[in-house]
Amino acid sequence: MSDTLAELSARGEVKRYRKGTLLIAEGDQGDTLFIILAGKLRAYSAGEGDRELTLGVYGPGEYLGEMSLDGGKRSANVATLETTTCSVIGRRTLERFIAERPEFAFELLAKVIRRARAATLSARQLALNDVYGRLRLLLLSTVQQEVAGEAGQPPQRITERLTHQEMSSRLGCSREMVSRLLKDLERGGYIAQQQHRCVLLKPLPQRW
């Protein structure tokens, strides 16, 4: 967390939320900023048939809610993935802070631009990649650690903990499709599945 953001968070109301709490509902009006102090938040859109598409997962030092500071409607749902603590900043508090620290306006603008670029990339991947291509990118982007392999073998990379349902929400496909692709990769000796984590045993093929 930057010093400026830490200073802003100190002016907010600290709140603790249980896992599964909906903080922001897509389409609602709102002008509140949530700065994450501990825990994780998920931004997502919901469609017909209870289908969900995960737009991003965010942790400590990040914030959500900036897209509606123009007075418009909330652009996505935001819910807690685990017990989460946030500093909740109202519009007036933010306006006073920017008046005192105008450099934060540039930090806020840069965040909006990065999120817009990420949304464009996500849309491009959905349009141009098949489901396996998106799954491959997801697995590679969620690697959290590496462990040494056997002699002469590349290191094994271990992804973050994700259920098949969470993967399907991020990829915009069915859970059954994710399960089938992961099982195929496991049979091919590319991955091993261990307690909702994937161990990448060797480089994933470009296409499947």
Side-chain angles (χ1 to χ4, degrees):
M1 183 183 298
S2 68
D3 292 342
T4 308
L5 188 60
E7 184 179 343
L8 174 60
S9 69
R11 302 192 186 190
E13 180 181 0
V14 176
K15 293 186 177 181
R16 191 168 183 266
Y17 302 97
R18 294 179 179 178
K19 177 182 178 180
T21 301
L22 184 67
L23 302 186
I24 295 174
E26 186 174 1
D28 284 356
Q29 296 289 142
D31 57 2
T32 304
L33 196 69
F34 293 87
I35 302 174
I36 307 170
L37 304 178
K40 286 184 180 180
L41 298 181
R42 178 173 76 106
Y44 66 96
S45 287
E48 297 180 359
D50 296 325
R51 292 284 297 274
E52 295 180 354
L53 177 63
T54 298
L55 304 174
V57 175
Y58 306 94
E62 298 182 285
Y63 54 86
L64 291 170
E66 77 287 348
M67 296 297 286
S68 66
L69 290 174
D70 63 348
K73 295 181 179 181
R74 298 290 195 180
S75 59
N77 300 297
V78 174
T80 57
L81 286 175
E82 56 190 49
T83 300
T84 301
T85 303
C86 294
S87 175
V88 183
I89 309 294
R91 184 183 181 89
R92 290 185 178 179
T93 299
L94 181 60
E95 288 175 343
R96 288 194 296 268
F97 185 76
I98 289 176
E100 297 172 17
R101 301 290 298 273
E103 67 273 16
F104 184 70
F106 291 97
E107 184 176 329
L108 191 62
L109 178 60
K111 176 70 75 175
V112 171
I113 292 172
R114 286 195 295 272
R115 295 245 168 103
R117 285 176 175 165
T120 299
L121 177 60
S122 178
R124 181 176 182 274
Q125 290 173 350
L126 283 172
L128 300 180
N129 286 334
D130 58 13
V131 176
Y132 169 73
R134 300 199 296 274
L135 175 62
R136 179 178 180 275
L137 290 173
L138 175 63
L139 293 177
L140 294 177
S141 69
T142 57
V143 170
Q144 289 190 322
Q145 60 176 306
E146 291 190 356
V147 296
E150 297 180 1
Q153 297 297 319
Q156 297 177 353
R157 293 173 292 173
I158 303 175
T159 68
E160 66 180 82
R161 189 182 299 273
L162 288 172
T163 66
H164 292 189
Q165 184 59 56
E166 289 169 332
M167 288 185 186
S168 71
S169 294
R170 293 200 191 188
L171 299 174
C173 67
S174 68
R175 181 179 59 80
E176 291 75 16
M177 176 65 78
V178 169
S179 298
R180 190 180 74 188
L181 285 171
L182 290 176
K183 183 58 67 176
D184 286 347
L185 288 172
E186 190 172 8
R187 291 194 188 102
Y190 291 97
I191 69 169
Q193 299 185 61
Q194 300 175 358
Q195 299 180 331
H196 298 313
R197 296 179 187 271
C198 286
V199 181
L200 308 186
L201 304 175
K202 58 183 180 180
L204 299 176
Q206 292 289 334
R207 298 188 179 278
W208 191 256

